[in-house]
Amino acid sequence: MADETFDAVIIGSGAGGAPIAHALVRAGKRVLVLEKGPLFHAQHTSPDGLSDFKRDEEFATGAEKVLRVPGVANTGVSFYSSHVEPDLNDEPHVYREKDGRDLATIEGYTAQVVGGGTQLYGGVSLRFAPDDFRLCTVNQGRADLRDDPNGDVAREARDWPFGYDELEPWYCVAEDLVGINGTRDGQLKPASADHYQKPLEPNSISSHVAVGMDALGLRRYRTPLAVITEDHLPSGRTVPLDRESIKTAFVNRYGDPLGLKSNTWVSLLHPISTEPGFELRANCAVTHLSATDSRVTAVHYRDPLGRSRTVSGTVVVVACSAIESVRLLHLSAELDPAFGQRINGNDLLGRYFLTHCFGGASARVPGRHDKSRTLDSDWATDACAAPEFVRANNLWAGGAIYNNTSDSALPISMARTWAANDMDTMWKGYLYDLDMRGDGFDGYLNENFGRQLSVAFMANQVPLPTNRITLHPSVRDKWNRPVAHIDKGWHSHDVAVMTVLAEQCRRILAAGGDGVQVIGHGHVGNDVRRIANHVLGGARFGSDPRDSVLDPDCRAWRFDNLYVTDGSFMPTSGGANPTLTIQANAFRVGDLLTTRV
Amino acid sequence: MPVVQVPRDDQYVLNHTTRFLARDVGEVAEPFHLPVVDTHWDGASAEVSYRFNDVTFVHRDDQAREVGVVGTFGELHTPVPLRQVRFLGEPTGLWAVTVRVGKGQVHRYRFAVDGRSVLDPVNPQRQRCDNGREWSRFFTHGCAVPISFDRWELRLLDRLVTQVLPFQLAENRRFLDDFYHRLSRSERDRQFPLAFLMDESVGVVNFIDKLLAREERHNLDDYKTCLRLIDGVLRARFPGREPAELGRQAFMDLYDELAANAVPGWDTGQYGEPRYFLVLLRRHAMTGAFAHPKHGGNNGAAAWAYLAERFEFDWRSALEAPLGRNTDYRG
């Protein structure tokens, strides 16, 4: 028997969990949200008027820490993490390098805090394109795909169990309740309602991207960003008198002290926090689930001081980011073979782990712009997600392209990301460029500060059964549980997708006006380490229980009351940042659950 | 002066401590987070609030009946009582209290547990008094009191740091001169109590001094060893001269030698990779120059002001008043 019971117990408070809590509490249900991380407040939600997030570059990537995890090949390396990422020594993610060595990485965490990854993300809130939901169908019979000699794409592509039209109303709900600014005109994604708030003036440096997109005939729109620019009725948030002051470079990788970035705490959970049916327990790490036959009967967690406690729910929702959700289910299976048989009888749990095909181009612009007044992105285009483009380039799927404005906007971030590829190579470029000193340093600032502009793409990764999350055989976390072990590689067609889209990004910048100097373009296709924070798949949903972990309602096939609603449900990763789709789907599931509890 | 207590709730204490403390295996993670030094807000005035920090002392003891803290931030013989921190209405074994402490200060403290005086078992910062008694130590934001280094080390470090930063260039030095001269005398004294360190390194040395006392204690030995070796190398090269007083060229040469990982006269038995020290110094110099001034460098936001003057960088609009001019964000 569990210590307490609720209508729903939701594990994780980010994009996959918070919308369900919101829907159920609004329907009068009793909901407990368990969150491993702390409840870090925005100023307006805080009892003392202060936020736990700061406009301070040391919060995004702080002091050096040293990896001390035994049994991995990179023990002893330095790492630099955000204040809401775990100490890697307490809970490492271990991935297998191409040469077979195991390495711990800071990649692949969203954030351990109430609000999850939505606290740190750049807020890019694109919908997926209609074809992203039917990649099996649109690729049947095609023999023209680049670098796919064995027909892997047609074999592994999956349609979602429903199409764009079925999710569309939930996109509208999410856009309304979360609070997003942007423009609709020019998008490839039809919308039945426009809940966008008015975007702020773009940063002046972005005009080069607008010019480039126009020159190439790519329809553009203002990138939808989860930052409010007007008072937001659903969450009760208000904006500062000087709306231009909303733009600061403390966006991507920073929690927002003013709560204007629409993380799930300020947009969805805080507004229900005074309802009698809502309870949030932060600093509580769920260790495993236990079940009797097809019912999950107890959620076992450690309270803030590590004491073991249990709760039960009429339904249990797992939504603690794909890697950790899959790991939690594997851990539960390890303790109870019957649980394992139910959740992983078809050996699919953890398989088809996905991130995104990702890359872009960067340039130096002739003039200088104050990038300290910005949000994360100004312009986006769906031109390379259009079926005609995808076909013409012999690709299986396309993706969104948008410019970044907050990158390299602040002096320390510009230095620590100089020639760095990812979180693990932070600082390496700048530090070893030993000629950058004195006037060399001055020249570096003069050449780059306020002059760097980048354009990125986000595209579908081919799902592969060999890309998977398992439990590591020997490395353990601070609760003495096996940590996640990640196998991930790129299909040759992924590299083709990335090459084509990186070239498009390069062309946009090259056409961006006189004096724009493209300094690089490329992608992550030669790097298995790059897991990024877009962790998806591993518990995919589908219509066939032999081919999926979850049913179309995101319920585990052989359980009555177990749901998984973070990005792990996705059978394909979509041609855009995933958060809005995770939120829309979670609102959909939340609505279903109001009739089931 | 009586201690001013600040009401921070139990959720705050749990949020800022338990993920480091609670575990089945391994040692406390990131123990430097204790005591928690945070922004102060009096509910009314940014100017007044800016002068203080909130410092939250946390002690874990399941068995104690009462816990207090005594320290130089208050009256040394009158413990400030810690309260029991609760979760779901039950005691957690954590005790906590938050007090207001002025910025720029270093203090020592001990806990009083059921009348016994104990060191803070988590916070690795310690300080031994002249009478031999050991205390736990903390410092608040913008602290300019040297902690990790002796004066000669600070002066030598200052010369090394200027090799990395752009402020040795003529036009940038002019900027710094102008910047400091524009400040009133009292403002200069308030912001730059260690003026001898504030010229071309804009407080970086002080930033490093604080970083090595807390977050990056693991790098302190590297600095101690390498500064001693550099001092020896320079004394051997320039007999009878004080290394920190040498001309610019001596330090430019030394930088090149460190970069080449070949410093004539360097004892590799004591420190194998001189270049590694340079890389460490480069990261610390860059961070110290441009990080928020509360970390001890970027004094008076001089490095940001330099970026704003040379380029375009409106740092003031995002940052808390009175440092910046944003009155919505409280720091």
Side-chain angles (χ1 to χ4, degrees), chain A residues 112-157:
Chain A
Q112 290 185 4
V113 62
V114 171
T118 66
Q119 289 286 7
L120 297 193
Y121 75 155
V124 171
S125 296
L126 301 161
R127 297 180 176 198
F128 287 177
D131 275 0
D132 289 337
F133 296 83
R134 52 185 184 220
L135 287 174
C136 178
T137 302
V138 300
N139 284 296
Q140 282 317 296
R142 286 184 66 185
D144 65 309
L145 297 178
R146 293 183 195 210
D147 298 335
D148 181 31
N150 303 320
D152 298 333
V153 172
R155 191 177 65 252
E156 297 295 357

Coordinates of all heavy atoms in Angstrom, one line a residue, chain A residues 112-157:
Chain A
Q112 N 17.1 20.0 -14.5 CA 16.4 19.4 -13.3 C 15.9 20.5 -12.4 O 16.7 21.0 -11.6 CB 17.4 18.5 -12.6 CG 17.6 17.2 -13.4 CD 18.5 16.2 -12.7 OE1 18.9 16.4 -11.5 NE2 18.8 15.1 -13.3
V113 N 14.7 20.9 -12.7 CA 14.1 22.0 -12.0 C 12.6 22.0 -12.3 O 12.2 21.4 -13.3 CB 14.8 23.4 -12.5 CG1 14.5 23.6 -14.0 CG2 14.3 24.6 -11.7
V114 N 11.8 22.6 -11.5 CA 10.4 22.7 -11.8 C 10.3 23.5 -13.1 O 10.8 24.6 -13.2 CB 9.6 23.3 -10.7 CG1 8.1 23.6 -11.1 CG2 9.6 22.4 -9.5
G115 N 9.6 22.9 -14.1 CA 9.5 23.5 -15.4 C 10.4 22.7 -16.4 O 10.3 22.9 -17.6
G116 N 11.4 22.0 -15.9 CA 12.2 21.1 -16.7 C 12.9 21.9 -17.8 O 13.4 23.1 -17.5
G117 N 13.1 21.4 -19.0 CA 13.8 22.0 -20.0 C 13.2 23.3 -20.5 O 13.9 24.2 -21.1
T118 N 11.9 23.6 -20.2 CA 11.4 24.9 -20.6 C 11.9 26.0 -19.8 O 11.7 27.2 -20.1 CB 9.8 24.9 -20.5 OG1 9.4 24.7 -19.1 CG2 9.2 23.7 -21.3
Q119 N 12.6 25.7 -18.7 CA 13.3 26.8 -18.0 C 14.5 27.4 -18.8 O 14.7 28.6 -18.7 CB 13.7 26.4 -16.6 CG 12.6 26.1 -15.6 CD 12.0 27.4 -15.1 OE1 12.3 28.5 -15.5 NE2 11.1 27.3 -14.1
L120 N 15.2 26.5 -19.4 CA 16.4 26.9 -20.1 C 16.3 27.1 -21.6 O 17.2 27.7 -22.2 CB 17.5 25.9 -19.8 CG 18.0 25.7 -18.3 CD1 19.3 24.9 -18.3 CD2 18.1 27.0 -17.6
Y121 N 15.3 26.6 -22.2 CA 15.3 26.6 -23.6 C 15.2 28.0 -24.2 O 14.9 28.9 -23.5 CB 14.2 25.6 -24.2 CG 12.7 26.1 -24.2 CD1 11.8 25.5 -25.1 CD2 12.2 26.9 -23.2 CE1 10.5 25.8 -25.1 CE2 10.8 27.3 -23.2 CZ 10.0 26.7 -24.2 OH 8.7 27.0 -24.2
G122 N 15.5 28.1 -25.5 CA 15.4 29.4 -26.2 C 14.0 29.8 -26.4 O 13.7 30.9 -26.8
G123 N 13.0 28.9 -26.2 CA 11.6 29.2 -26.4 C 11.1 29.0 -27.8 O 9.9 29.3 -28.1
V124 N 11.9 28.5 -28.7 CA 11.4 28.3 -30.1 C 10.3 27.3 -30.1 O 10.4 26.2 -29.7 CB 12.6 27.9 -31.0 CG1 12.1 27.5 -32.4 CG2 13.7 29.0 -31.1
S125 N 9.1 27.8 -30.5 CA 7.9 27.0 -30.4 C 7.2 26.8 -31.7 O 6.1 27.2 -32.0 CB 6.9 27.7 -29.4 OG 7.5 27.8 -28.1
L126 N 7.9 26.1 -32.6 CA 7.4 25.7 -33.9 C 6.5 24.5 -33.8 O 6.7 23.6 -33.0 CB 8.6 25.4 -34.8 CG 9.6 26.5 -35.0 CD1 10.9 25.9 -35.6 CD2 9.1 27.6 -36.0
R127 N 5.5 24.5 -34.7 CA 4.7 23.3 -34.9 C 5.5 22.4 -35.8 O 6.4 22.9 -36.6 CB 3.4 23.6 -35.5 CG 2.4 24.4 -34.7 CD 1.1 24.7 -35.4 NE 0.2 25.4 -34.6 CZ -1.1 25.5 -34.9 NH1 -1.6 24.8 -35.9 NH2 -1.9 26.2 -34.1
F128 N 5.2 21.1 -35.8 CA 5.8 20.2 -36.8 C 4.9 20.4 -38.1 O 3.8 20.8 -38.0 CB 5.6 18.7 -36.4 CG 6.6 18.3 -35.3 CD1 6.6 17.0 -34.8 CD2 7.6 19.2 -34.8 CE1 7.5 16.6 -33.8 CE2 8.5 18.8 -33.8 CZ 8.5 17.5 -33.3
A129 N 5.5 20.0 -39.2 CA 4.8 20.2 -40.5 C 3.9 19.0 -40.7 O 4.1 17.9 -40.1 CB 5.8 20.3 -41.6
P130 N 2.8 19.1 -41.5 CA 1.9 18.0 -41.7 C 2.6 16.7 -42.1 O 2.2 15.6 -41.6 CB 0.9 18.6 -42.8 CG 0.9 20.0 -42.5 CD 2.3 20.4 -42.1
D131 N 3.6 16.8 -43.0 CA 4.2 15.6 -43.4 C 5.0 14.9 -42.3 O 5.4 13.7 -42.4 CB 5.1 15.9 -44.7 CG 4.3 15.8 -46.0 OD1 3.1 15.5 -45.9 OD2 4.9 16.0 -47.0
D132 N 5.4 15.7 -41.3 CA 6.2 15.0 -40.2 C 5.4 13.9 -39.5 O 6.0 13.1 -38.9 CB 6.6 16.1 -39.2 CG 7.6 17.1 -39.7 OD1 8.4 16.7 -40.6 OD2 7.7 18.2 -39.1
F133 N 4.1 14.0 -39.7 CA 3.2 13.0 -39.0 C 3.0 11.7 -39.9 O 2.4 10.8 -39.4 CB 1.9 13.6 -38.6 CG 2.0 14.7 -37.6 CD1 2.3 16.0 -38.1 CD2 1.8 14.5 -36.3 CE1 2.4 17.0 -37.1 CE2 1.9 15.5 -35.4 CZ 2.2 16.8 -35.8
R134 N 3.5 11.8 -41.1 CA 3.2 10.6 -42.0 C 4.4 10.3 -42.9 O 4.3 10.2 -44.1 CB 2.0 11.0 -42.9 CG 2.1 12.3 -43.6 CD 0.8 12.7 -44.3 NE 1.1 14.0 -45.1 CZ 0.2 14.9 -45.2 NH1 -1.0 14.9 -44.6 NH2 0.5 16.0 -45.9
L135 N 5.5 10.2 -42.3 CA 6.8 10.0 -43.0 C 6.9 8.6 -43.6 O 7.6 8.4 -44.6 CB 8.0 10.3 -42.1 CG 8.2 11.8 -41.9 CD1 9.3 12.0 -40.9 CD2 8.5 12.5 -43.2
C136 N 6.1 7.6 -43.0 CA 6.1 6.3 -43.7 C 5.3 6.4 -45.0 O 5.8 6.0 -46.0 CB 5.5 5.3 -42.7 SG 5.3 3.7 -43.4
T137 N 4.1 7.0 -44.9 CA 3.3 7.1 -46.1 C 4.0 7.8 -47.2 O 4.0 7.4 -48.3 CB 2.0 7.8 -45.7 OG1 1.3 7.0 -44.6 CG2 1.0 7.9 -46.9
V138 N 4.5 9.0 -46.9 CA 5.1 9.8 -48.0 C 6.3 9.2 -48.6 O 6.8 9.7 -49.6 CB 5.3 11.3 -47.6 CG1 4.0 11.9 -47.1 CG2 6.4 11.4 -46.5
N139 N 7.0 8.3 -47.9 CA 8.2 7.7 -48.4 C 8.0 6.3 -49.0 O 9.0 5.7 -49.5 CB 9.3 7.7 -47.4 CG 9.9 9.1 -47.1 OD1 10.5 9.7 -48.0 ND2 9.6 9.7 -45.9
Q140 N 6.8 5.8 -49.0 CA 6.6 4.5 -49.6 C 6.9 4.5 -51.1 O 6.5 5.4 -51.8 CB 5.2 4.0 -49.4 CG 4.9 3.5 -48.0 CD 6.0 2.6 -47.5 OE1 6.3 1.6 -48.0 NE2 6.7 3.1 -46.4
G141 N 7.6 3.5 -51.5 CA 7.9 3.3 -52.9 C 9.0 4.2 -53.5 O 9.2 4.2 -54.7
R142 N 9.6 5.0 -52.7 CA 10.6 5.9 -53.2 C 11.9 5.2 -53.3 O 12.4 4.6 -52.4 CB 10.7 7.2 -52.3 CG 9.6 8.1 -52.4 CD 9.8 9.4 -51.6 NE 10.9 10.2 -52.1 CZ 11.4 11.2 -51.4 NH1 10.8 11.7 -50.3 NH2 12.4 11.9 -52.0
A143 N 12.6 5.4 -54.4 CA 13.9 4.7 -54.6 C 14.9 5.8 -54.8 O 16.1 5.5 -55.2 CB 13.8 3.8 -55.8
D144 N 14.5 7.1 -54.6 CA 15.4 8.2 -55.0 C 16.1 8.8 -53.8 O 16.8 9.8 -54.0 CB 14.6 9.3 -55.6 CG 13.6 9.9 -54.6 OD1 12.8 9.1 -54.0 OD2 13.6 11.1 -54.5
L145 N 16.0 8.2 -52.6 CA 16.6 8.8 -51.4 C 18.1 8.7 -51.5 O 18.7 7.7 -51.7 CB 16.0 8.2 -50.2 CG 14.5 8.3 -49.9 CD1 14.1 7.6 -48.7 CD2 14.1 9.8 -49.9
R146 N 18.7 9.8 -51.1 CA 20.2 9.8 -51.1 C 20.7 8.9 -50.0 O 20.2 8.9 -48.9 CB 20.7 11.2 -50.7 CG 20.4 12.3 -51.8 CD 21.0 13.6 -51.3 NE 20.5 14.7 -52.0 CZ 21.2 15.8 -52.3 NH1 22.4 15.9 -51.8 NH2 20.6 16.8 -53.0
D147 N 21.8 8.3 -50.3 CA 22.6 7.5 -49.3 C 21.7 6.6 -48.4 O 21.9 6.6 -47.2 CB 23.4 8.5 -48.5 CG 24.4 9.3 -49.3 OD1 24.8 8.8 -50.4 OD2 24.7 10.4 -48.9
D148 N 20.9 5.9 -49.1 CA 20.0 4.9 -48.4 C 20.0 3.6 -49.1 O 19.0 3.2 -49.6 CB 18.6 5.5 -48.2 CG 17.7 4.5 -47.4 OD1 18.3 3.8 -46.5 OD2 16.5 4.5 -47.7
P149 N 21.2 3.0 -49.3 CA 21.3 1.9 -50.3 C 20.5 0.7 -49.8 O 20.1 -0.1 -50.7 CB 22.8 1.6 -50.2 CG 23.3 2.2 -49.0 CD 22.5 3.4 -48.7
N150 N 20.2 0.5 -48.6 CA 19.5 -0.7 -48.1 C 18.0 -0.4 -47.9 O 17.3 -1.3 -47.4 CB 20.1 -1.2 -46.8 CG 21.6 -1.5 -47.0 OD1 22.0 -2.0 -48.1 ND2 22.4 -1.1 -46.1
G151 N 17.5 0.7 -48.3 CA 16.1 1.0 -48.1 C 15.7 1.1 -46.6 O 14.6 0.8 -46.2
D152 N 16.7 1.5 -45.8 CA 16.4 1.6 -44.3 C 15.3 2.6 -44.0 O 14.4 2.4 -43.1 CB 17.6 2.1 -43.5 CG 18.8 1.1 -43.7 OD1 18.5 -0.1 -43.9 OD2 19.9 1.5 -43.6
V153 N 15.3 3.7 -44.8 CA 14.3 4.8 -44.5 C 12.9 4.3 -44.6 O 12.1 4.4 -43.7 CB 14.6 6.0 -45.3 CG1 13.5 7.1 -45.1 CG2 16.0 6.6 -45.0
A154 N 12.6 3.7 -45.8 CA 11.2 3.2 -46.0 C 10.9 2.1 -44.9 O 9.7 2.1 -44.5 CB 11.1 2.6 -47.4
R155 N 11.8 1.3 -44.5 CA 11.6 0.3 -43.6 C 11.3 0.9 -42.2 O 10.5 0.4 -41.4 CB 12.7 -0.7 -43.5 CG 12.4 -2.0 -42.7 CD 13.5 -3.0 -42.8 NE 14.7 -2.5 -42.1 CZ 15.8 -2.2 -42.7 NH1 15.9 -2.2 -44.1 NH2 16.9 -1.8 -42.1
E156 N 12.1 1.9 -41.8 CA 12.0 2.3 -40.4 C 11.1 3.6 -40.2 O 10.8 3.9 -39.1 CB 13.5 2.7 -39.9 CG 14.4 1.5 -39.9 CD 14.0 0.4 -38.9 OE1 13.0 0.6 -38.2 OE2 14.7 -0.6 -38.8
A157 N 10.8 4.3 -41.3 CA 9.9 5.4 -41.1 C 8.6 5.0 -40.5 O 8.1 3.9 -40.9 CB 9.7 6.1 -42.4

